[in-house]
Amino acid sequence: ESEMFKFWQPITHMFMHGSPMHLLFNMFGLYMFGSILEQFWGGKKFLFFYLSCGLGAALLHQGVNYYEFHSSYNSLIELGATQDFINEILKQPVYNYNDSIVQTLSDSYKIRAVGASGAIYGILVAFGFMFPNEKLMLMFIPIGIKAKFFIPALLVYDFLSGLNGSSIFGFGGGVAHFAHIGGALIGFVMMWYWKKNQFDKNRWDR
């Protein structure tokens, strides 16, 4: 809906970050998990997978934003708000409003979404497919959990946080949770498809 939208942004958003720490953590995840997958797949297949997951992250995030924008827009119209009033809100910079409907309208229209997190989540899912029993642990919490349990739990956390509108445990504010889910979803679909095709090629009854 924004006049500032450019058609290349679904690609370029995953190469931009909000802060040096944001960049550092995403590139650390890319190195830790992506380098292993690239060794198995080769550079071209890995790049295709990575970009596809990043596009999936952008698609779901913007789809949720689109729904929230129009839901809040329609609610304001039903409450008697004029088009001029809504246009004035959209012209203003990001601001904390007292009204939750106005806040949703403003945030869904104005807040930028940048970073490789969605693509990284796709890589995490692929890692879980290939190495389900490999133990992972959260930084600063030295308890190893198998990837087949750790990664789904992380996705459930993101999904609940996305529904809640903020991180449910009070940390990780400003996170595009549905972008994570979008990247993971595309990663899952691609891994399932590749695994199914690999099985079909090796069938003895064909």
Side-chain angles (χ1 to χ4, degrees):
E1 298 293 332
S2 174
E3 295 178 356
M4 297 178 67
F5 176 76
K6 307 298 180 185
F7 70 88
W8 56 79
Q9 287 177 312
I11 290 286
T12 57
H13 88 278
M14 67 184 91
F15 297 101
M16 304 183 70
H17 290 80
S19 68
M21 191 60 67
H22 186 202
L23 176 64
L24 177 64
F25 273 102
N26 275 340
M27 294 305 98
F28 177 73
L30 178 62
Y31 172 75
M32 288 295 295
F33 301 103
S35 57
I36 297 171
L37 298 179
E38 188 181 10
Q39 288 179 28
F40 277 86
W41 292 344
K44 291 181 180 179
K45 185 175 180 179
F46 175 79
L47 182 62
F48 174 74
F49 183 86
Y50 182 83
L51 293 177
S52 297
C53 291
L55 285 171
L59 183 63
L60 185 59
H61 175 76
Q62 292 303 324
V64 170
N65 258 17
Y66 185 86
Y67 171 79
E68 289 183 341
F69 176 84
H70 282 282
S71 294
S72 55
Y73 178 91
N74 291 333
S75 295
L76 288 174
I77 293 295
E78 289 173 4
L79 290 170
T82 64
Q83 187 63 53
D84 289 339
F85 172 77
I86 293 175
N87 289 341
E88 191 61 32
I89 292 172
L90 299 181
K91 289 178 183 177
Q92 300 301 319
V94 176
Y95 181 77
N96 290 326
Y97 295 94
N98 292 324
D99 187 281
S100 61
I101 300 176
V102 174
Q103 190 69 57
T104 299
L105 180 83
S106 175
D107 290 350
S108 61
Y109 187 80
K110 301 171 190 174
I111 292 181
R112 294 183 291 269
V114 294
S117 303
I120 301 299
Y121 265 67
I123 287 174
L124 272 175
V125 168
F127 182 88
F129 254 84
M130 296 179 69
F131 309 100
N133 294 314
E134 191 71 25
K135 288 188 176 181
L136 306 174
M137 62 183 69
L138 288 170
M139 200 170 290
F140 312 122
I141 303 178
I143 302 174
I145 305 172
K146 289 183 178 181
K148 61 185 178 183
F149 303 125
F150 182 93
I151 295 169
L154 191 62
L155 293 175
V156 168
Y157 165 76
D158 264 297
F159 181 72
L160 293 176
S161 294
L163 291 179
N164 187 53
S166 62
S167 297
I168 58 178
F169 294 127
F171 60 87
V175 176
H177 294 288
F178 282 110
H180 294 172
I181 298 297
L185 184 61
I186 294 299
F188 176 84
V189 170
M190 291 181 70
M191 290 302 295
W192 175 82
Y193 180 77
W194 287 345
K195 189 173 183 178
K196 178 178 178 294
N197 276 10
Q198 185 179 21
F199 173 77
D200 286 344
K201 287 177 184 178
N202 296 323
R203 283 174 59 180
W204 59 270
D205 58 342
R206 301 190 77 174

